[in-house]
Amino acid sequence: MKLAGLSSVDNAHDDSVWATTWVPATTSRPALLLTGSLDETVKLWRADDLQLERTNTGHCLGVVSVAAHPSGVIAASASLDSFVRVFDVDTNATIATLEAPPSEVWQMQFDPRGTTLAVAGGGSASVKLWDSATWKLIATLSVPRPEGGKPTDKSSSKKFVLSVAWSSDGKRIACGSMDGTISIFDVARAKFLHHLEGHTMPVRSLVYSPTEPRVLFSASDDAHVHIYDSEGKTLIAALSGHTSWVLSVDASPDGLAVATGSSDKTVRLWDISMRAAVQTMTNHSDQVWGVAFRPPGGTGVRFGRLASVSDDKSISLYDYS
C-alpha cells in the first residue's frame, strides 16, 4: 500500500483548516471533499483536481467539524459559535440549525444508515444524538467517571468530550475525552458499556474499522495511535512514530490501513497487519488537523483517495493504492 501526492491547494481557506470529510457520490454527481475552517466558512471541492465548487457561509466563528450524510445529499458543520448547521449539499439551503451551550459542539458523525447525527458534547461530558428526520434531540449519552475516580478530583473538566465515532454496524458509539479515556456506548439501549484506557492525554480522533465492527482506532496527544478490541476492552496495539500530538485518524475503506495527521506536520500511512508506519508525507508546513479517505462508490471511480487539511491553510490530495 502506498500514497502518492496528487494535488495541493495552498490558501484553500483564509485561516487554519480544522475539519474535512468526503460527501458521498449521488446519482447526479461524484463525491465531493468538504472542508471547514477557522475563517468561518465551509467549502466543497471536486474530488480529483480540488477545484472549488462552492463556499458556504452561515457561521460567525470558526468551523471545528464537518459531517456528511451517507446519502450524499446533506451535510453538517459545527462551529465555535455553538451552532450546528445542517444544509443541502447541492443548493446550500439550510435544513436545520441545532443549538448547543458554549463549548458543547465538537466532532460529529452521522450513523451508517443516516438516521442519527452524533455530536461530541465538549464540556457537558456527553454525546448528543439528533434525529435526522425531525432534527430533535433524541438522547444524551453521558460519560461516567472511571471506576476509582474520586468525586473530589476535578474530573468533570477532564471528561471534556472531543471526538466521536460510530461502529460500522451502527450498534456502538465511541467518544474520546480530554483525560485520555474512551467511552463505549450501546446505542439501542442508550447505555454506557465501559471505558477503554491506555492513552495518557486527550483523544482527538476516533474511527472504527469499516470491516471489523469491534476494532477501534484512536489518535491522541500522547503521540500514539491505539488499536482496540472495543468489545473485549483490550488494547491490541499501540502504534508509535509521530513526534507530537496525533490530531486525526481515518481508516481506509478496504480496512487494511489507517492514515493519521499530526502536529508534527506529517501525514502517516500505517499498515494494520504490520502495525507500522509504511509512509510519511511531509508536504504540510504546519500541524495536520484532518485526514479523510474517500468512501467507495460513484461512477468512474478507480482509485482510492486520501485528503489532508492543515493549519497552513492548505488541502492535499493523495492517491491511495
Side-chain angles (χ1 to χ4, degrees):
M1 60 187 65
K2 70 178 198 313
L3 295 174
L6 212 55
S7 57
S8 287
V9 178
D10 293 330
N11 298 310
H13 283 269
D14 295 333
D15 206 336
S16 300
V17 191
W18 272 18
T20 189
T21 194
W22 289 91
V23 179
T26 64
T27 51
S28 59
R29 61 152 172 76
L32 296 170
L33 185 69
L34 184 64
T35 57
S37 165
L38 295 189
D39 69 6
E40 304 172 10
T41 69
V42 172
K43 294 187 177 186
L44 286 147
W45 308 83
R46 288 211 308 247
D48 288 313
D49 54 10
L50 290 181
Q51 288 295 313
L52 181 64
E53 286 276 301
R54 72 187 68 84
T55 300
N56 298 354
T57 56
H59 288 294
C60 59
L61 285 172
V63 176
V64 294
S65 181
V66 288
H69 192 275
S71 68
V73 175
I74 62 171
S77 54
S79 163
L80 294 169
D81 63 13
S82 302
F83 288 100
V84 175
R85 178 174 175 262
V86 185
F87 59 94
D88 183 293
V89 171
D90 294 318
T91 68
N92 192 31
T94 299
I95 289 164
T97 303
L98 315 179
E99 192 173 356
S103 87
E104 288 196 14
V105 176
W106 293 92
Q107 276 181 15
M108 55 187 180
Q109 188 182 24
F110 284 95
D111 75 301
R113 292 184 303 139
T115 59
T116 309
L117 178 67
V119 181
S124 66
S126 67
V127 175
K128 303 276 200 295
L129 301 183
W130 298 84
D131 182 301
S132 64
T134 62
W135 298 111
K136 297 278 192 291
L137 184 67
I138 50 174
T140 298
L141 309 178
S142 295
V143 176
R145 256 187 223 100
E147 289 168 28
K150 301 183 191 67
T152 51
D153 59 19
K154 305 244 182 348
S155 35
S156 56
S157 62
K158 296 272 187 75
K159 279 294 163 214
F160 194 100
V161 176
L162 292 166
S163 49
V164 67
W166 288 88
S167 61
S168 57
D169 59 10
K171 293 178 178 176
R172 298 283 186 264
I173 281 178
C175 68
S177 297
M178 198 76 92
D179 66 354
T181 58
I182 298 165
S183 305
I184 306 294
F185 294 90
D186 177 317
V187 179
R189 293 185 294 157
K191 183 179 188 307
F192 169 78
L193 295 178
H194 49 257
H195 289 297
L196 302 176
E197 297 184 353
H199 285 301
T200 56
M201 293 174 74
V203 177
R204 299 269 174 187
S205 181
L206 294 165
V207 66
Y208 276 92
S209 166
T211 54
E212 300 280 346
R214 293 171 66 114
V215 175
L216 178 70
F217 304 96
S218 58
S220 169
D221 286 8
D222 62 17
H224 286 89
V225 179
H226 283 179
I227 309 174
Y228 291 96
D229 175 345
S230 63
E231 298 293 300
K233 297 193 281 187
T234 51
L235 177 63
I236 297 170
L239 309 179
S240 57
H242 281 296
T243 57
S244 187
W245 302 358
V246 190
L247 302 172
S248 181
V249 61
D250 197 24
S252 62
D254 58 19
L256 300 176
V258 292
T260 52
S262 166
S263 56
D264 67 11
K265 308 177 188 175
T266 68
V267 172
R268 289 182 192 233
L269 183 70
W270 307 79
D271 182 314
I272 294 166
S273 61
M274 291 170 53
R275 297 180 185 174
V278 290
Q279 203 169 358
T280 302
M281 309 300 281
T282 57
N283 39 311
H284 286 294
S285 60
D286 208 334
Q287 49 191 12
V288 180
W289 276 104
V291 289
F293 282 99
R294 182 169 68 183
T299 53
V301 174
R302 295 195 346 266
F303 300 107
R305 291 279 184 270
L306 176 74
S308 60
V309 297
S310 166
D311 265 346
D312 66 12
K313 309 180 192 173
S314 77
I315 305 169
S316 285
L317 190 64
Y318 316 87
D319 210 10
Y320 166 72
S321 58

